[in-house]
Amino acid sequence: MDTKICFVTGGSKGIGRGIAIELANQGYNVAFTYNTNKNAALAIENDMAEKGFNVKAFRMNIEERHSINNAICKAEEHFSGHIAVLINNAAIAQEKPLHKITDHDWEKMLKINLQGPFICTQEVLPKMKETEWGRIVNITSIGGQWGGFNQVHYAASQAALINFTQSIAKIHSIDGITCNAIAIGLVDTEMSGPELTTEKGKKKVANIPIGRIGEIQEIAHAVTFLVSKGASYITGQTINLNGGMYFG
């Protein structure tokens, strides 16, 4: 059992939910965030509590630093410790042709998908440095590696998050803090659902070498490995979890 505190952003549904549950199963104390989906978050919290796991939901608006700081402080107070594992998972996507993307679309995409992880990372780093141990995993996308067609702004945010991952690793690996990214391909979640219904999306699925889309549990398992002692020499890397869609 590992009683370190994990902080998972966007943990009330989809990939974040799967990661939070898997980390709890591994014995971690898990704090996860939600923005508007309170009922779903409390359902997860209650279900895990009934099973004897230490899981707590906290409301957080990833667009606002004070909200992020407040959620982190409440999580650390609740579990009587500091966050040792950060999973930057909260994100948005939007299907929109390049010529229709507005300034607001662009700004919101980067504020949530890039600035949010930046602030979360910046807020937890000091205590990680004090203890000379930390794990940061950024959930990103294949779109950040091969570009976007109807999601140019989304792809740009994901490419930047991969670069941010490398920068944190270069600066803080010497402090005992590893930082890695997991670039997922097509996974059946609410966020990817709209793309999977399009003809282009269906063609993507048909062309996946492994013959299917990914499962949330597969991503959760990759996360638990990267935060484990067994991955202590892996840092600054982007793990391609995409069924063979991209070999970069």
Side-chain angles (χ1 to χ4, degrees):
M1 298 287 284
D2 196 323
T3 57
K4 293 185 180 69
I5 302 172
C6 299
F7 191 81
V8 183
T9 67
S12 65
K13 60 183 179 180
I15 292 169
R17 178 181 182 275
I19 292 170
I21 291 173
E22 183 59 28
L23 287 170
N25 285 331
Q26 295 299 318
Y28 292 94
N29 294 317
V30 179
F32 72 91
T33 72
Y34 68 94
N35 186 14
T36 59
N37 206 349
K38 183 177 181 179
N39 290 337
L42 292 180
I44 296 167
E45 180 184 304
N46 293 333
D47 180 60
M48 297 306 288
E50 289 177 1
K51 296 176 181 177
F53 297 114
N54 292 320
V55 177
K56 184 69 176 175
F58 297 91
R59 187 186 179 281
M60 186 183 84
N61 182 350
I62 201 164
E63 296 183 68
E64 300 175 359
R65 183 180 287 270
H66 71 85
S67 181
I68 293 171
N69 182 263
N70 184 56
I72 289 172
C73 289
K74 285 185 175 179
E76 293 183 332
E77 180 180 356
H78 176 81
F79 288 111
S80 300
H82 77 278
I83 292 166
V85 176
L86 170 65
I87 313 299
N88 283 313
N89 166 75
I92 60 170
Q94 182 185 44
E95 286 278 331
K96 212 168 193 181
L98 175 61
H99 68 281
K100 290 187 177 181
I101 296 173
T102 66
D103 289 348
H104 175 73
D105 292 333
W106 183 273
E107 290 164 3
K108 188 173 184 67
M109 186 68 66
L110 267 68
K111 192 166 189 178
I112 293 175
N113 292 3
L114 182 61
Q115 182 172 296
F118 155 70
I119 295 173
C120 289
T121 300
Q122 198 175 56
E123 291 292 333
V124 302
L125 273 172
K127 291 180 182 177
M128 287 183 178
K129 288 179 66 178
E130 283 180 20
T131 57
E132 299 183 332
W133 199 96
R135 297 286 184 269
I136 300 169
V137 180
N138 296 318
I139 306 302
T140 182
S141 166
I142 191 173
Q145 298 168 306
W146 67 5
F149 189 79
N150 280 326
Q151 299 188 69
V152 171
H153 48 342
Y154 173 76
S157 72
Q158 298 305 295
L161 187 56
I162 289 172
N163 189 273
F164 177 69
T165 299
Q166 296 168 341
S167 296
I168 295 301
K170 281 187 176 182
I171 298 167
H172 291 292
S173 292
I174 193 66
D175 299 316
I177 303 165
T178 67
C179 184
N180 293 288
I182 296 177
I184 63 174
L186 289 177
V187 181
D188 192 9
T189 65
E190 289 182 18
M191 193 166 76
S192 63
E195 181 184 8
L196 295 176
T197 62
T198 66
E199 286 304 313
K200 189 173 180 64
K202 291 175 182 178
K203 287 180 181 178
K204 282 185 181 179
V205 175
N207 290 327
I208 297 173
I210 212 166
R212 62 174 175 83
I213 60 176
E215 298 177 1
I216 289 174
Q217 195 66 17
E218 291 170 319
I219 300 166
H221 286 158
V223 169
T224 56
F225 170 66
L226 286 176
V227 305
S228 71
K229 293 180 180 178
S232 60
Y233 202 60
I234 301 175
T235 190
Q237 303 304 308
T238 298
I239 308 300
N240 295 332
L241 210 162
N242 58 40
M245 293 174 70
Y246 176 78
F247 298 124

